[in-house]
Amino acid sequence: MLRVDQAGEIGADAIYRGQMAVLGSNKDVGPAIQHMWDQEKLHLDVMNRLVGENRIRPSALTPFWTAAGFALGAGSALLGKEAAMACTEAVEDVINEHYNDQIRELIQIEGNKEIEKLQNVIREFRDDELGHMHTAVEYDSKKAPLYDPLTAIVRQGCRVAIWVASRV
């Protein structure tokens, strides 16, 4: 679970880095992307710490998650701010589902203080991700060119990444 979440935070950090590379100077959306990226940096720091404390092997695909995330972030931003926000909306939608699944799984484990702490971390991160999704909608994600196919592709890509990260 922690390895998958760490891989996801590596990807998220890279997505926002890619979006900032293209849209960082945009006075409209740049500050919002920076804010979301700052939260993802914190998430990544926490996941890195938890992986280390629990002596969990990081994903063997870390270089891939980094490159793919940056390409997704920069690529969507090159299509315009609306497409970048559509990408963010789609990613955060899947991550919300993923974190909710993990919370339901962890609730089944009773009486373990470490598990309760992890539940709280995942809840906090999930709430941040929901905030990112709402921010994306506020910044016109739904006005992106080819919104439906773009978000469907990004959502499916995220689901595949979660599946792969859970196995490699």
Short mmCIF file of all heavy atoms in Angstrom, two decimals, residues 87-156:
data_model
loop_
_atom_site.label_atom_id
_atom_site.label_comp_id
_atom_site.label_asym_id
_atom_site.label_seq_id
_atom_site.Cartn_x
_atom_site.Cartn_y
_atom_site.Cartn_z
N CYS A 87 -6.69 17.28 -17.01
CA CYS A 87 -5.76 16.23 -16.57
C CYS A 87 -5.78 16.13 -15.05
O CYS A 87 -5.92 15.03 -14.49
CB CYS A 87 -4.35 16.55 -17.08
SG CYS A 87 -3.06 15.50 -16.42
N THR A 88 -5.67 17.26 -14.38
CA THR A 88 -5.70 17.29 -12.92
C THR A 88 -7.01 16.72 -12.39
O THR A 88 -7.01 15.88 -11.47
CB THR A 88 -5.49 18.73 -12.41
OG1 THR A 88 -4.19 19.17 -12.81
CG2 THR A 88 -5.63 18.82 -10.90
N GLU A 89 -8.11 17.14 -12.97
CA GLU A 89 -9.42 16.64 -12.53
C GLU A 89 -9.48 15.12 -12.64
O GLU A 89 -9.91 14.43 -11.71
CB GLU A 89 -10.53 17.27 -13.36
CG GLU A 89 -11.90 16.77 -13.01
CD GLU A 89 -12.98 17.22 -13.98
OE1 GLU A 89 -12.75 18.10 -14.83
OE2 GLU A 89 -14.09 16.66 -13.89
N ALA A 90 -9.05 14.58 -13.77
CA ALA A 90 -9.11 13.14 -14.00
C ALA A 90 -8.20 12.37 -13.04
O ALA A 90 -8.60 11.36 -12.45
CB ALA A 90 -8.75 12.82 -15.44
N VAL A 91 -6.98 12.86 -12.87
CA VAL A 91 -6.04 12.19 -11.97
C VAL A 91 -6.61 12.18 -10.56
O VAL A 91 -6.65 11.14 -9.89
CB VAL A 91 -4.65 12.89 -11.99
CG1 VAL A 91 -3.77 12.40 -10.84
CG2 VAL A 91 -3.96 12.68 -13.32
N GLU A 92 -7.04 13.33 -10.09
CA GLU A 92 -7.50 13.43 -8.70
C GLU A 92 -8.78 12.63 -8.47
O GLU A 92 -9.01 12.12 -7.38
CB GLU A 92 -7.67 14.89 -8.30
CG GLU A 92 -6.42 15.75 -8.44
CD GLU A 92 -5.21 15.31 -7.62
OE1 GLU A 92 -5.17 14.17 -7.09
OE2 GLU A 92 -4.28 16.12 -7.50
N ASP A 93 -9.61 12.51 -9.49
CA ASP A 93 -10.81 11.68 -9.37
C ASP A 93 -10.43 10.22 -9.10
O ASP A 93 -10.99 9.58 -8.19
CB ASP A 93 -11.65 11.80 -10.65
CG ASP A 93 -12.93 11.00 -10.59
OD1 ASP A 93 -13.62 11.05 -9.56
OD2 ASP A 93 -13.25 10.33 -11.60
N VAL A 94 -9.49 9.71 -9.85
CA VAL A 94 -9.05 8.31 -9.66
C VAL A 94 -8.35 8.15 -8.31
O VAL A 94 -8.56 7.16 -7.61
CB VAL A 94 -8.15 7.86 -10.82
CG1 VAL A 94 -7.54 6.49 -10.53
CG2 VAL A 94 -8.93 7.83 -12.12
N ILE A 95 -7.54 9.14 -7.94
CA ILE A 95 -6.83 9.04 -6.66
C ILE A 95 -7.81 9.07 -5.50
O ILE A 95 -7.63 8.39 -4.49
CB ILE A 95 -5.75 10.13 -6.55
CG1 ILE A 95 -4.71 9.98 -7.67
CG2 ILE A 95 -5.08 10.11 -5.18
CD1 ILE A 95 -4.18 8.57 -7.87
N ASN A 96 -8.86 9.87 -5.62
CA ASN A 96 -9.90 9.88 -4.60
C ASN A 96 -10.49 8.48 -4.43
O ASN A 96 -10.62 7.98 -3.30
CB ASN A 96 -10.99 10.89 -4.96
CG ASN A 96 -12.14 10.86 -4.00
OD1 ASN A 96 -11.96 10.94 -2.79
ND2 ASN A 96 -13.35 10.71 -4.52
N GLU A 97 -10.83 7.82 -5.53
CA GLU A 97 -11.35 6.45 -5.47
C GLU A 97 -10.34 5.52 -4.81
O GLU A 97 -10.70 4.68 -3.97
CB GLU A 97 -11.65 5.93 -6.88
CG GLU A 97 -12.77 6.59 -7.62
CD GLU A 97 -12.83 6.15 -9.08
OE1 GLU A 97 -12.09 5.21 -9.48
OE2 GLU A 97 -13.62 6.75 -9.84
N HIS A 98 -9.08 5.66 -5.22
CA HIS A 98 -8.01 4.81 -4.71
C HIS A 98 -7.85 4.98 -3.20
O HIS A 98 -7.79 3.99 -2.44
CB HIS A 98 -6.71 5.15 -5.44
CG HIS A 98 -5.50 4.51 -4.88
ND1 HIS A 98 -5.27 3.15 -4.96
CD2 HIS A 98 -4.45 5.03 -4.21
CE1 HIS A 98 -4.11 2.88 -4.38
NE2 HIS A 98 -3.61 4.00 -3.91
N TYR A 99 -7.79 6.22 -2.74
CA TYR A 99 -7.65 6.47 -1.31
C TYR A 99 -8.87 5.98 -0.54
O TYR A 99 -8.74 5.43 0.56
CB TYR A 99 -7.38 7.95 -1.03
CG TYR A 99 -5.93 8.37 -1.21
CD1 TYR A 99 -5.62 9.67 -1.58
CD2 TYR A 99 -4.89 7.49 -1.00
CE1 TYR A 99 -4.31 10.08 -1.73
CE2 TYR A 99 -3.56 7.89 -1.15
CZ TYR A 99 -3.28 9.19 -1.51
OH TYR A 99 -1.98 9.59 -1.65
N ASN A 100 -10.06 6.16 -1.08
CA ASN A 100 -11.26 5.65 -0.41
C ASN A 100 -11.22 4.14 -0.29
O ASN A 100 -11.60 3.58 0.74
CB ASN A 100 -12.53 6.11 -1.13
CG ASN A 100 -12.92 7.52 -0.78
OD1 ASN A 100 -12.57 8.02 0.29
ND2 ASN A 100 -13.63 8.18 -1.66
N ASP A 101 -10.75 3.45 -1.33
CA ASP A 101 -10.60 1.99 -1.26
C ASP A 101 -9.63 1.60 -0.14
O ASP A 101 -9.87 0.65 0.61
CB ASP A 101 -10.09 1.42 -2.59
CG ASP A 101 -11.13 1.47 -3.70
OD1 ASP A 101 -12.33 1.66 -3.41
OD2 ASP A 101 -10.73 1.33 -4.88
N GLN A 102 -8.53 2.34 -0.03
CA GLN A 102 -7.54 2.04 1.00
C GLN A 102 -8.12 2.28 2.40
O GLN A 102 -7.89 1.50 3.32
CB GLN A 102 -6.28 2.86 0.81
CG GLN A 102 -5.45 2.41 -0.37
CD GLN A 102 -4.14 3.16 -0.48
OE1 GLN A 102 -4.03 4.30 -0.01
NE2 GLN A 102 -3.16 2.54 -1.09
N ILE A 103 -8.86 3.37 2.55
CA ILE A 103 -9.47 3.67 3.85
C ILE A 103 -10.43 2.55 4.24
O ILE A 103 -10.40 2.08 5.39
CB ILE A 103 -10.17 5.04 3.82
CG1 ILE A 103 -9.12 6.16 3.71
CG2 ILE A 103 -11.05 5.23 5.05
CD1 ILE A 103 -9.69 7.52 3.33
N ARG A 104 -11.25 2.09 3.29
CA ARG A 104 -12.17 0.98 3.60
C ARG A 104 -11.40 -0.27 4.00
O ARG A 104 -11.83 -1.01 4.90
CB ARG A 104 -13.07 0.70 2.39
CG ARG A 104 -14.22 1.70 2.25
CD ARG A 104 -15.21 1.28 1.20
NE ARG A 104 -14.72 1.43 -0.16
CZ ARG A 104 -14.75 2.57 -0.86
NH1 ARG A 104 -15.26 3.66 -0.32
NH2 ARG A 104 -14.29 2.61 -2.08
N GLU A 105 -10.28 -0.53 3.36
CA GLU A 105 -9.46 -1.69 3.70
C GLU A 105 -8.85 -1.55 5.10
O GLU A 105 -8.87 -2.50 5.90
CB GLU A 105 -8.35 -1.85 2.66
CG GLU A 105 -7.50 -3.08 2.81
CD GLU A 105 -6.46 -3.22 1.71
OE1 GLU A 105 -6.67 -2.70 0.58
OE2 GLU A 105 -5.42 -3.83 1.98
N LEU A 106 -8.35 -0.36 5.41
CA LEU A 106 -7.70 -0.15 6.71
C LEU A 106 -8.70 -0.15 7.87
O LEU A 106 -8.33 -0.53 8.99
CB LEU A 106 -6.91 1.16 6.69
CG LEU A 106 -5.68 1.16 5.79
CD1 LEU A 106 -5.11 2.57 5.66
CD2 LEU A 106 -4.62 0.19 6.29
N ILE A 107 -9.92 0.26 7.62
CA ILE A 107 -10.95 0.27 8.68
C ILE A 107 -11.18 -1.14 9.21
O ILE A 107 -11.53 -1.32 10.38
CB ILE A 107 -12.26 0.91 8.15
CG1 ILE A 107 -12.07 2.41 8.04
CG2 ILE A 107 -13.45 0.55 9.04
CD1 ILE A 107 -13.24 3.13 7.37
N GLN A 108 -10.94 -2.14 8.37
CA GLN A 108 -11.14 -3.54 8.78
C GLN A 108 -10.12 -4.00 9.81
O GLN A 108 -10.34 -5.00 10.50
CB GLN A 108 -11.08 -4.46 7.55
CG GLN A 108 -12.07 -4.13 6.45
CD GLN A 108 -13.50 -4.14 6.93
OE1 GLN A 108 -13.92 -5.06 7.62
NE2 GLN A 108 -14.25 -3.12 6.56
N ILE A 109 -9.01 -3.27 9.93
CA ILE A 109 -7.96 -3.63 10.89
C ILE A 109 -8.17 -2.79 12.15
O ILE A 109 -7.92 -1.59 12.15
CB ILE A 109 -6.56 -3.38 10.29
CG1 ILE A 109 -6.40 -4.13 8.96
CG2 ILE A 109 -5.48 -3.77 11.29
CD1 ILE A 109 -5.17 -3.73 8.18
N GLU A 110 -8.61 -3.41 13.19
CA GLU A 110 -8.95 -2.69 14.41
C GLU A 110 -7.87 -2.83 15.46
O GLU A 110 -7.14 -3.82 15.51
CB GLU A 110 -10.28 -3.21 14.97
CG GLU A 110 -11.45 -2.97 14.04
CD GLU A 110 -12.75 -3.53 14.59
OE1 GLU A 110 -12.77 -4.01 15.74
OE2 GLU A 110 -13.74 -3.49 13.85
N GLY A 111 -7.75 -1.80 16.31
CA GLY A 111 -6.89 -1.88 17.48
C GLY A 111 -5.41 -1.67 17.21
O GLY A 111 -4.59 -1.97 18.07
N ASN A 112 -5.05 -1.15 16.06
CA ASN A 112 -3.65 -0.92 15.74
C ASN A 112 -3.44 0.58 15.56
O ASN A 112 -3.95 1.18 14.61
CB ASN A 112 -3.28 -1.69 14.47
CG ASN A 112 -1.80 -1.58 14.14
OD1 ASN A 112 -1.22 -0.51 14.16
ND2 ASN A 112 -1.21 -2.72 13.81
N LYS A 113 -2.68 1.18 16.47
CA LYS A 113 -2.47 2.64 16.45
C LYS A 113 -1.75 3.09 15.17
O LYS A 113 -2.04 4.17 14.65
CB LYS A 113 -1.67 3.08 17.68
CG LYS A 113 -2.39 2.87 18.98
CD LYS A 113 -3.55 3.84 19.10
CE LYS A 113 -4.19 3.68 20.47
NZ LYS A 113 -5.51 4.26 20.53
N GLU A 114 -0.81 2.30 14.68
CA GLU A 114 -0.09 2.67 13.46
C GLU A 114 -1.03 2.69 12.25
O GLU A 114 -0.94 3.56 11.39
CB GLU A 114 1.09 1.72 13.21
CG GLU A 114 2.21 1.86 14.22
CD GLU A 114 2.79 3.27 14.30
OE1 GLU A 114 3.09 3.85 13.24
OE2 GLU A 114 2.92 3.79 15.42
N ILE A 115 -1.95 1.73 12.21
CA ILE A 115 -2.94 1.70 11.13
C ILE A 115 -3.87 2.90 11.22
O ILE A 115 -4.22 3.51 10.21
CB ILE A 115 -3.73 0.36 11.15
CG1 ILE A 115 -2.81 -0.82 10.86
CG2 ILE A 115 -4.90 0.40 10.17
CD1 ILE A 115 -2.17 -0.82 9.49
N GLU A 116 -4.25 3.26 12.44
CA GLU A 116 -5.10 4.44 12.63
C GLU A 116 -4.40 5.71 12.15
O GLU A 116 -5.02 6.57 11.53
CB GLU A 116 -5.52 4.58 14.09
CG GLU A 116 -6.52 3.51 14.53
CD GLU A 116 -6.83 3.57 16.02
OE1 GLU A 116 -6.60 4.62 16.66
OE2 GLU A 116 -7.31 2.55 16.54
N LYS A 117 -3.10 5.82 12.45
CA LYS A 117 -2.33 6.98 11.97
C LYS A 117 -2.30 7.00 10.44
O LYS A 117 -2.45 8.07 9.83
CB LYS A 117 -0.89 6.93 12.52
CG LYS A 117 -0.74 7.29 13.96
CD LYS A 117 0.75 7.34 14.30
CE LYS A 117 1.02 6.98 15.71
NZ LYS A 117 2.45 6.93 16.04
N LEU A 118 -2.07 5.84 9.84
CA LEU A 118 -2.04 5.76 8.38
C LEU A 118 -3.40 6.14 7.79
O LEU A 118 -3.45 6.86 6.78
CB LEU A 118 -1.62 4.36 7.93
CG LEU A 118 -1.53 4.15 6.42
CD1 LEU A 118 -0.55 5.13 5.76
CD2 LEU A 118 -1.12 2.71 6.12
N GLN A 119 -4.48 5.68 8.41
CA GLN A 119 -5.82 6.07 7.95
C GLN A 119 -5.96 7.59 7.95
O GLN A 119 -6.49 8.17 6.99
CB GLN A 119 -6.91 5.50 8.87
CG GLN A 119 -7.20 4.05 8.70
CD GLN A 119 -8.27 3.60 9.70
OE1 GLN A 119 -9.16 4.36 10.05
NE2 GLN A 119 -8.15 2.36 10.15
N ASN A 120 -5.48 8.24 9.00
CA ASN A 120 -5.59 9.69 9.10
C ASN A 120 -4.77 10.39 8.02
O ASN A 120 -5.21 11.38 7.45
CB ASN A 120 -5.19 10.16 10.49
CG ASN A 120 -6.20 9.75 11.54
OD1 ASN A 120 -7.39 9.58 11.25
ND2 ASN A 120 -5.76 9.58 12.77
N VAL A 121 -3.59 9.87 7.75
CA VAL A 121 -2.75 10.44 6.69
C VAL A 121 -3.46 10.31 5.34
O VAL A 121 -3.55 11.27 4.57
CB VAL A 121 -1.36 9.76 6.63
CG1 VAL A 121 -0.61 10.10 5.36
CG2 VAL A 121 -0.54 10.13 7.86
N ILE A 122 -3.98 9.13 5.07
CA ILE A 122 -4.65 8.90 3.79
C ILE A 122 -5.91 9.76 3.68
O ILE A 122 -6.18 10.32 2.61
CB ILE A 122 -4.94 7.40 3.58
CG1 ILE A 122 -3.60 6.65 3.40
CG2 ILE A 122 -5.85 7.17 2.38
CD1 ILE A 122 -3.72 5.15 3.36
N ARG A 123 -6.64 9.91 4.75
CA ARG A 123 -7.83 10.79 4.72
C ARG A 123 -7.43 12.23 4.41
O ARG A 123 -8.09 12.90 3.62
CB ARG A 123 -8.57 10.74 6.06
CG ARG A 123 -9.45 9.54 6.22
CD ARG A 123 -10.30 9.67 7.48
NE ARG A 123 -11.13 8.50 7.64
CZ ARG A 123 -10.86 7.50 8.47
NH1 ARG A 123 -9.79 7.53 9.24
NH2 ARG A 123 -11.68 6.46 8.54
N GLU A 124 -6.38 12.70 5.07
CA GLU A 124 -5.91 14.07 4.83
C GLU A 124 -5.49 14.25 3.37
O GLU A 124 -5.86 15.24 2.72
CB GLU A 124 -4.74 14.39 5.76
CG GLU A 124 -4.17 15.78 5.54
CD GLU A 124 -2.94 16.06 6.38
OE1 GLU A 124 -2.72 15.37 7.41
OE2 GLU A 124 -2.19 16.97 6.01
N PHE A 125 -4.73 13.30 2.85
CA PHE A 125 -4.28 13.39 1.45
C PHE A 125 -5.48 13.32 0.51
O PHE A 125 -5.55 14.07 -0.46
CB PHE A 125 -3.29 12.28 1.13
CG PHE A 125 -1.93 12.46 1.78
CD1 PHE A 125 -1.67 13.48 2.68
CD2 PHE A 125 -0.90 11.59 1.48
CE1 PHE A 125 -0.43 13.63 3.27
CE2 PHE A 125 0.35 11.74 2.04
CZ PHE A 125 0.59 12.76 2.94
N ARG A 126 -6.42 12.42 0.80
CA ARG A 126 -7.62 12.32 -0.03
C ARG A 126 -8.36 13.66 -0.08
O ARG A 126 -8.79 14.12 -1.13
CB ARG A 126 -8.55 11.23 0.50
CG ARG A 126 -9.82 11.07 -0.36
CD ARG A 126 -11.06 10.72 0.40
NE ARG A 126 -11.24 11.43 1.64
CZ ARG A 126 -11.85 10.90 2.70
NH1 ARG A 126 -12.31 9.67 2.66
NH2 ARG A 126 -12.00 11.61 3.80
N ASP A 127 -8.49 14.29 1.06
CA ASP A 127 -9.18 15.58 1.12
C ASP A 127 -8.44 16.64 0.31
O ASP A 127 -9.07 17.45 -0.38
CB ASP A 127 -9.38 16.03 2.56
CG ASP A 127 -10.36 15.13 3.33
OD1 ASP A 127 -11.07 14.32 2.69
OD2 ASP A 127 -10.40 15.24 4.57
N ASP A 128 -7.11 16.62 0.38
CA ASP A 128 -6.32 17.55 -0.45
C ASP A 128 -6.56 17.28 -1.93
O ASP A 128 -6.73 18.22 -2.73
CB ASP A 128 -4.83 17.42 -0.15
CG ASP A 128 -4.42 17.99 1.20
OD1 ASP A 128 -5.22 18.73 1.82
OD2 ASP A 128 -3.29 17.68 1.64
N GLU A 129 -6.57 16.01 -2.31
CA GLU A 129 -6.77 15.64 -3.72
C GLU A 129 -8.16 16.07 -4.20
O GLU A 129 -8.31 16.53 -5.33
CB GLU A 129 -6.56 14.14 -3.94
CG GLU A 129 -5.28 13.54 -3.40
CD GLU A 129 -3.97 14.13 -3.87
OE1 GLU A 129 -3.96 15.09 -4.67
OE2 GLU A 129 -2.92 13.65 -3.43
N LEU A 130 -9.16 15.92 -3.34
CA LEU A 130 -10.50 16.40 -3.69
C LEU A 130 -10.49 17.91 -3.90
O LEU A 130 -11.14 18.42 -4.81
CB LEU A 130 -11.51 16.03 -2.61
CG LEU A 130 -12.01 14.60 -2.63
CD1 LEU A 130 -12.85 14.31 -1.39
CD2 LEU A 130 -12.81 14.32 -3.89
N GLY A 131 -9.73 18.61 -3.07
CA GLY A 131 -9.58 20.05 -3.26
C GLY A 131 -8.95 20.37 -4.60
O GLY A 131 -9.36 21.32 -5.29
N HIS A 132 -7.95 19.60 -5.00
CA HIS A 132 -7.31 19.80 -6.30
C HIS A 132 -8.31 19.58 -7.43
O HIS A 132 -8.32 20.32 -8.42
CB HIS A 132 -6.12 18.86 -6.48
CG HIS A 132 -5.05 19.05 -5.47
ND1 HIS A 132 -3.98 18.18 -5.36
CD2 HIS A 132 -4.85 19.98 -4.50
CE1 HIS A 132 -3.19 18.57 -4.38
NE2 HIS A 132 -3.70 19.67 -3.84
N MET A 133 -9.14 18.54 -7.28
CA MET A 133 -10.14 18.25 -8.31
C MET A 133 -11.12 19.42 -8.43
O MET A 133 -11.45 19.85 -9.55
CB MET A 133 -10.87 16.96 -7.97
CG MET A 133 -11.79 16.47 -9.07
SD MET A 133 -12.45 14.83 -8.74
CE MET A 133 -13.67 15.23 -7.50
N HIS A 134 -11.55 19.96 -7.32
CA HIS A 134 -12.47 21.09 -7.36
C HIS A 134 -11.80 22.34 -7.94
O HIS A 134 -12.43 23.09 -8.69
CB HIS A 134 -13.04 21.37 -5.96
CG HIS A 134 -13.92 20.27 -5.46
ND1 HIS A 134 -15.06 19.86 -6.10
CD2 HIS A 134 -13.80 19.48 -4.37
CE1 HIS A 134 -15.62 18.87 -5.43
NE2 HIS A 134 -14.88 18.61 -4.38
N THR A 135 -10.53 22.54 -7.61
CA THR A 135 -9.79 23.66 -8.18
C THR A 135 -9.73 23.52 -9.70
O THR A 135 -9.91 24.50 -10.43
CB THR A 135 -8.36 23.73 -7.59
OG1 THR A 135 -8.46 23.97 -6.18
CG2 THR A 135 -7.53 24.81 -8.25
N ALA A 136 -9.47 22.32 -10.17
CA ALA A 136 -9.39 22.09 -11.62
C ALA A 136 -10.71 22.46 -12.30
O ALA A 136 -10.70 23.10 -13.37
CB ALA A 136 -9.03 20.63 -11.90
N VAL A 137 -11.81 22.09 -11.69
CA VAL A 137 -13.12 22.43 -12.27
C VAL A 137 -13.32 23.95 -12.26
O VAL A 137 -13.79 24.52 -13.24
CB VAL A 137 -14.25 21.69 -11.53
CG1 VAL A 137 -15.62 22.18 -11.99
CG2 VAL A 137 -14.12 20.18 -11.74
N GLU A 138 -12.92 24.60 -11.16
CA GLU A 138 -13.04 26.06 -11.07
C GLU A 138 -12.22 26.76 -12.16
O GLU A 138 -12.59 27.83 -12.62
CB GLU A 138 -12.57 26.55 -9.70
CG GLU A 138 -13.50 26.21 -8.57
CD GLU A 138 -12.89 26.51 -7.20
OE1 GLU A 138 -11.90 27.26 -7.12
OE2 GLU A 138 -13.43 25.97 -6.21
N TYR A 139 -11.12 26.13 -12.57
CA TYR A 139 -10.26 26.70 -13.62
C TYR A 139 -10.60 26.11 -14.99
O TYR A 139 -9.74 26.01 -15.85
CB TYR A 139 -8.79 26.51 -13.26
CG TYR A 139 -8.30 27.53 -12.27
CD1 TYR A 139 -8.42 27.30 -10.90
CD2 TYR A 139 -7.76 28.73 -12.68
CE1 TYR A 139 -8.00 28.24 -9.98
CE2 TYR A 139 -7.33 29.68 -11.77
CZ TYR A 139 -7.45 29.43 -10.42
OH TYR A 139 -7.04 30.38 -9.51
N ASP A 140 -11.85 25.75 -15.18
CA ASP A 140 -12.41 25.43 -16.50
C ASP A 140 -11.93 24.12 -17.11
O ASP A 140 -11.83 24.01 -18.34
CB ASP A 140 -12.17 26.59 -17.49
CG ASP A 140 -12.86 27.87 -17.05
OD1 ASP A 140 -13.96 27.77 -16.47
OD2 ASP A 140 -12.31 28.95 -17.29
N SER A 141 -11.71 23.11 -16.30
CA SER A 141 -11.30 21.81 -16.84
C SER A 141 -12.30 21.29 -17.87
O SER A 141 -11.90 20.70 -18.88
CB SER A 141 -11.16 20.79 -15.71
OG SER A 141 -12.41 20.59 -15.06
N LYS A 142 -13.56 21.54 -17.63
CA LYS A 142 -14.60 20.98 -18.51
C LYS A 142 -14.65 21.67 -19.87
O LYS A 142 -15.31 21.19 -20.78
CB LYS A 142 -15.95 21.03 -17.82
CG LYS A 142 -15.91 20.24 -16.50
CD LYS A 142 -17.21 19.64 -16.13
CE LYS A 142 -17.18 18.95 -14.79
NZ LYS A 142 -16.36 17.79 -14.68
N LYS A 143 -13.92 22.77 -20.02
CA LYS A 143 -13.85 23.48 -21.30
C LYS A 143 -12.66 23.03 -22.15
O LYS A 143 -12.41 23.59 -23.22
CB LYS A 143 -13.77 24.99 -21.08
CG LYS A 143 -15.04 25.57 -20.47
CD LYS A 143 -14.91 27.07 -20.30
CE LYS A 143 -16.17 27.64 -19.68
NZ LYS A 143 -16.03 29.10 -19.43
N ALA A 144 -11.94 22.03 -21.69
CA ALA A 144 -10.77 21.54 -22.43
C ALA A 144 -11.19 20.97 -23.77
O ALA A 144 -12.27 20.36 -23.90
CB ALA A 144 -10.05 20.46 -21.63
N PRO A 145 -10.35 21.16 -24.78
CA PRO A 145 -10.64 20.52 -26.07
C PRO A 145 -10.63 19.00 -25.88
O PRO A 145 -9.77 18.46 -25.19
CB PRO A 145 -9.50 20.98 -26.98
CG PRO A 145 -8.43 21.50 -26.08
CD PRO A 145 -9.09 21.89 -24.79
N LEU A 146 -11.63 18.35 -26.44
CA LEU A 146 -11.74 16.89 -26.34
C LEU A 146 -11.75 16.41 -24.89
O LEU A 146 -11.11 15.41 -24.53
CB LEU A 146 -10.63 16.21 -27.14
CG LEU A 146 -10.58 16.56 -28.63
CD1 LEU A 146 -9.32 16.02 -29.26
CD2 LEU A 146 -11.82 16.04 -29.34
N TYR A 147 -12.51 17.13 -24.07
CA TYR A 147 -12.56 16.85 -22.63
C TYR A 147 -12.85 15.38 -22.34
O TYR A 147 -12.13 14.74 -21.56
CB TYR A 147 -13.61 17.74 -21.95
CG TYR A 147 -13.88 17.37 -20.52
CD1 TYR A 147 -13.05 17.82 -19.50
CD2 TYR A 147 -14.96 16.55 -20.18
CE1 TYR A 147 -13.28 17.47 -18.19
CE2 TYR A 147 -15.21 16.20 -18.86
CZ TYR A 147 -14.36 16.66 -17.87
OH TYR A 147 -14.59 16.31 -16.57
N ASP A 148 -13.91 14.83 -22.93
CA ASP A 148 -14.31 13.46 -22.60
C ASP A 148 -13.23 12.43 -22.93
O ASP A 148 -12.87 11.63 -22.06
CB ASP A 148 -15.64 13.10 -23.26
CG ASP A 148 -16.82 13.81 -22.61
OD1 ASP A 148 -16.76 14.09 -21.39
OD2 ASP A 148 -17.81 14.10 -23.31
N PRO A 149 -12.68 12.43 -24.15
CA PRO A 149 -11.63 11.43 -24.41
C PRO A 149 -10.35 11.70 -23.61
O PRO A 149 -9.70 10.75 -23.16
CB PRO A 149 -11.39 11.51 -25.91
CG PRO A 149 -12.08 12.73 -26.39
CD PRO A 149 -13.09 13.12 -25.37
N LEU A 150 -10.02 12.97 -23.43
CA LEU A 150 -8.81 13.29 -22.67
C LEU A 150 -8.92 12.76 -21.24
O LEU A 150 -8.02 12.07 -20.75
CB LEU A 150 -8.57 14.81 -22.66
CG LEU A 150 -7.44 15.32 -21.77
CD1 LEU A 150 -6.10 14.78 -22.22
CD2 LEU A 150 -7.43 16.85 -21.74
N THR A 151 -10.02 13.06 -20.56
CA THR A 151 -10.14 12.61 -19.18
C THR A 151 -10.30 11.10 -19.08
O THR A 151 -9.80 10.49 -18.13
CB THR A 151 -11.30 13.34 -18.46
OG1 THR A 151 -12.52 13.16 -19.20
CG2 THR A 151 -11.01 14.83 -18.30
N ALA A 152 -10.94 10.48 -20.06
CA ALA A 152 -11.07 9.02 -20.04
C ALA A 152 -9.71 8.36 -20.17
O ALA A 152 -9.41 7.38 -19.46
CB ALA A 152 -12.00 8.56 -21.18
N ILE A 153 -8.87 8.89 -21.04
CA ILE A 153 -7.52 8.33 -21.22
C ILE A 153 -6.69 8.51 -19.96
O ILE A 153 -6.00 7.59 -19.51
CB ILE A 153 -6.84 8.96 -22.45
CG1 ILE A 153 -7.52 8.48 -23.74
CG2 ILE A 153 -5.35 8.65 -22.47
CD1 ILE A 153 -7.16 9.27 -24.98
N VAL A 154 -6.75 9.70 -19.37
CA VAL A 154 -5.97 9.97 -18.16
C VAL A 154 -6.46 9.09 -17.01
O VAL A 154 -5.65 8.50 -16.28
CB VAL A 154 -6.02 11.47 -17.79
CG1 VAL A 154 -5.39 11.72 -16.42
CG2 VAL A 154 -5.33 12.31 -18.86
N ARG A 155 -7.77 8.97 -16.85
CA ARG A 155 -8.31 8.12 -15.78
C ARG A 155 -7.84 6.67 -15.95
O ARG A 155 -7.40 6.03 -14.98
CB ARG A 155 -9.84 8.17 -15.77
CG ARG A 155 -10.42 9.39 -15.11
CD ARG A 155 -11.95 9.32 -15.01
NE ARG A 155 -12.46 10.50 -14.36
CZ ARG A 155 -12.90 11.58 -14.99
NH1 ARG A 155 -12.92 11.63 -16.31
NH2 ARG A 155 -13.33 12.62 -14.30
N GLN A 156 -7.94 6.16 -17.17
CA GLN A 156 -7.52 4.77 -17.39
C GLN A 156 -6.02 4.62 -17.18
O GLN A 156 -5.58 3.61 -16.61
CB GLN A 156 -7.92 4.31 -18.80
CG GLN A 156 -7.74 2.82 -19.01
CD GLN A 156 -8.53 1.98 -18.01
OE1 GLN A 156 -9.64 2.32 -17.60
NE2 GLN A 156 -7.95 0.86 -17.60
#
